[in-house]
Amino acid sequence: TEPSDLKDEL
Amino acid sequence: MNIFRFAGDMTHLISILVLLLKIYATKSCSGISLKTQELYALVFLTRYLDLFTDFISVYNTIMKLVFIASSLAVVCCMRMHRVVRRSYDKDLDTFRHYFLILASFVLALLVNEKFTFQEIFWAFSIYLEALAILPQLVLLQRSGNVDNLTGQYVFFLGAYRAFYILNWIYRYFTEQHFSRWIACVSGLVQTVLYADFFYYYFISWKNNAKMQLPA
């Protein structure tokens, strides 16, 4: 998955 | 990571610690809605499906594990613990939360960032989290009086999403193509749902009185 749509928030 | 998001995560963690403190210290879950706890467990389980596939950071992984473990622990404790479960307000906690699950899932099928299994469940968890507090607020409304720890639990639980809204505003202005409009709109709805509780919580805090919700 591209870094943009990585869900980095909890 | 920015200060707003970190403050939000810490506030969320504090709310969970206050809840655990209330249940273990008083050996009672009176005033706590089991349905809200079950909805939160579902929120974390469906939101963190990427727990083992996408590694973001040690902090991210640890917090996800803490949120999943603590929400499941509270549900199990309220259902199984022979002393705690006796104090559960079963006849007050009657909100039909299955409708919230159904509505969130249908909405997630219609409105999501990408029609994939993970994205649909992520959107579902975002919508469900906005509504998950309803059984708890209804229970408090019906029981009238709110004990301190329960009041603090709901207060911190509401405050954390308010910090996240500041985080989204900050990220919108500092990161060019940042768009979390699903989480942002849902987070706004979630924070507004707490508004009346915040109002009565502030009034009781100002008058240094026990918190009373109008029946």
Side-chain angles (χ1 to χ4, degrees), chain B residues 13 19 43 50 109 114 130-131 134-135 139 145 158 163-164:
Chain B
L13 190 61
L19 177 61
V43 164
D50 61 348
L109 287 174
K114 213 187 301 180
L131 303 173
L134 285 173
L139 176 75
N145 65 332
F163 278 120
Y164 256 75

Side-chain angles (χ1 to χ4, degrees), chain B residues 9-87:
Chain B
D9 291 342
M10 289 305 109
T11 307
H12 194 182
L13 190 61
I14 289 170
S15 76
I16 290 172
L17 295 177
V18 165
L19 177 61
L20 290 171
L21 172 72
K22 177 216 162 45
I23 292 178
Y24 284 104
T26 64
K27 281 286 177 282
S28 153
C29 64
S30 67
I32 302 296
S33 161
L34 173 60
K35 301 192 173 200
T36 285
Q37 298 311 316
E38 288 169 346
L39 291 178
Y40 259 102
L42 192 56
V43 164
F44 295 135
L45 287 170
T46 52
R47 184 173 305 177
Y48 302 148
L49 292 173
D50 61 348
L51 180 61
F52 301 113
T53 54
D54 297 331
F55 177 77
I56 311 278
S57 69
V58 173
Y59 167 83
N60 189 274
T61 303
I62 289 175
M63 291 298 278
K64 285 176 177 176
L65 290 170
V66 165
F67 287 163
I68 290 174
S70 58
S71 57
L72 290 177
V74 169
V75 169
C76 290
C77 182
M78 288 182 72
R79 281 180 169 275
M80 317 285 190
H81 195 289
R82 67 194 181 294
V83 176
V84 170
R85 70 183 208 184
R86 270 209 299 267
S87 57

Side-chain angles (χ1 to χ4, degrees), chain A, chain B residues 5 60 113-114 119 122 167-168 171 180:
Chain A
T1 45
E2 301 80 47
S4 65
D5 65 10
L6 263 189
K7 302 281 184 265
D8 62 345
E9 295 182 347
L10 289 173
Chain B
R5 183 144 65 97
N60 189 274
E113 282 177 9
K114 213 187 301 180
E119 284 295 334
W122 180 80
N167 151 65
W168 289 318
R171 291 188 76 174
R180 281 282 169 78

